[in-house]
Amino acid sequence: MIKKQICARCVCDDSIPGITFDNNGICSLCKNYDLIEHEFPGNEITYKKFQQIVDNIKNNQNKAKYDCLIGVSGGTDSIYTLYLARKYGLNPLAIHVDDGSDTEISVHNVQTAVKKLNVDLYTVKIDESELSDLELAFFRASIPDVETPPDMAITASLYRCAVQFGIKYIFIGNCFKTEGKMPPGWSYGDGKYLTDIHNRFGHVRLKSFPNLMLSDYLYYFLIKRIQIVRPLYYLSYIKSDVKKILEKELGWIDYGIGHHESRYCRFVQGYFLPKKFGIDKRKIHFSALIRSNQMSRQEALIKLGLPACSDEMVKEDIQYLCTNFGINQDEFEEIINSKPRSQAEFDSYYSLVCKLKPLIEIAYKLHLFPTKIYGSYDRK
């Protein structure tokens, strides 16, 4: 049995597509992290940069009711981003995309946060029959990107709502210090990819599902001039400390493991991906926490040796999904155990993105993109 090579600094190993190691055993993902940290060092300079962004938003409000839009799931990152927006004197509109898989805790966290922060909440209800058919289509395609449908629903809904309410700034609550960046081979999705998979394996006609094609991105970016802001890139973000703040001031409840505020994501990341593809996204998340000194490497290795979900939780989630998909458990087990397919078998914008990498770099230098794109484009 060939022993896996594990990074000497984090817990990323050679099962991750495109990863490389230097002579000291440090992985390329650590190198990419250091580049981002150099750009956002989390010091007085980056704090001032964020304050400048906030001041610019306030000065360009143009009498609009809301000055920014924030998608809230009930998780730590999104609720804290909402908290920060109010702390900096902004009047955000909170958007919650209801895909039918919210847990009771996530609903509680959203409702208490908007109430205590005095923020308006707008809920986007995704057609459950369309979304379920899309999710089942991705499972039938036998690829790892089964989180693409709900992720696309959220992203597209944020852009649509920004246009609907005349908002130019969308605050995104992710952070490289705690989340890391998934390699394309472990997580990929675009509008063209979603459409091709649904055409092959879906059955329900998509009438209202919010998708994002390349033309949509160009419209939102170039015509409507909507900008993405990631506050947690600029500000200090120690997750354990943030949880205590949210618990004390907002009555927020910790749901445990990251992304488990959704039953669908909990099943996918906690059971399906490790079982079918050998993909454990905790390696990426834990490694980010190690690099930002929020978790020890030894603690991460111990946690990786434990299952992300209990057997009872897995059974509960499988029953929920089977009911949602309208299939029995034997059919679902057959889908789970089917032979994995390559993402390259399906049509997408991936090859175009790779070809446009030089132009993307130029756009960053011209300040058309808020952050530089780091890392490998290889998903094989």
Side-chain angles (χ1 to χ4, degrees), residues 179-292:
E179 290 288 305
K181 179 174 170 36
M182 290 294 161
W186 274 17
S187 180
Y188 180 77
D190 63 46
K192 195 175 184 180
Y193 188 52
L194 182 144
T195 300
D196 187 43
I197 290 171
H198 183 258
N199 286 341
R200 297 197 202 185
F201 299 98
H203 297 94
V204 175
R205 184 184 173 190
L206 302 183
K207 298 179 181 179
S208 62
F209 182 82
N211 197 9
L212 274 175
M213 303 301 286
L214 180 59
S215 57
D216 297 316
Y217 272 112
L218 293 175
Y219 169 72
Y220 292 130
F221 181 64
L222 298 176
I223 305 301
K224 303 307 293 185
R225 307 295 291 178
I226 295 172
Q227 297 184 41
I228 301 296
V229 180
R230 294 178 172 84
L232 304 184
Y233 273 50
Y234 296 88
L235 306 173
S236 174
Y237 189 57
I238 307 300
K239 203 151 193 172
S240 58
D241 293 343
V242 166
K243 288 181 177 182
K244 292 176 183 178
I245 293 173
L246 298 182
E247 288 169 351
K248 181 180 179 181
E249 299 194 25
L250 302 182
W252 181 86
I253 299 174
D254 192 354
Y255 47 83
I257 301 172
H259 301 288
H260 283 200
E261 69 271 24
S262 161
R263 287 178 289 182
Y264 184 80
C265 293
R266 181 174 70 188
F267 172 78
V268 170
Q269 294 192 22
Y271 177 76
F272 174 71
L273 292 180
K275 174 181 172 60
K276 186 178 178 78
F277 300 97
I279 294 174
D280 191 340
K281 290 188 175 182
R282 294 179 300 171
K283 292 178 183 178
I284 303 295
H285 301 320
F286 291 168
S287 291
L289 291 169
I290 292 168
R291 298 180 196 115
S292 59

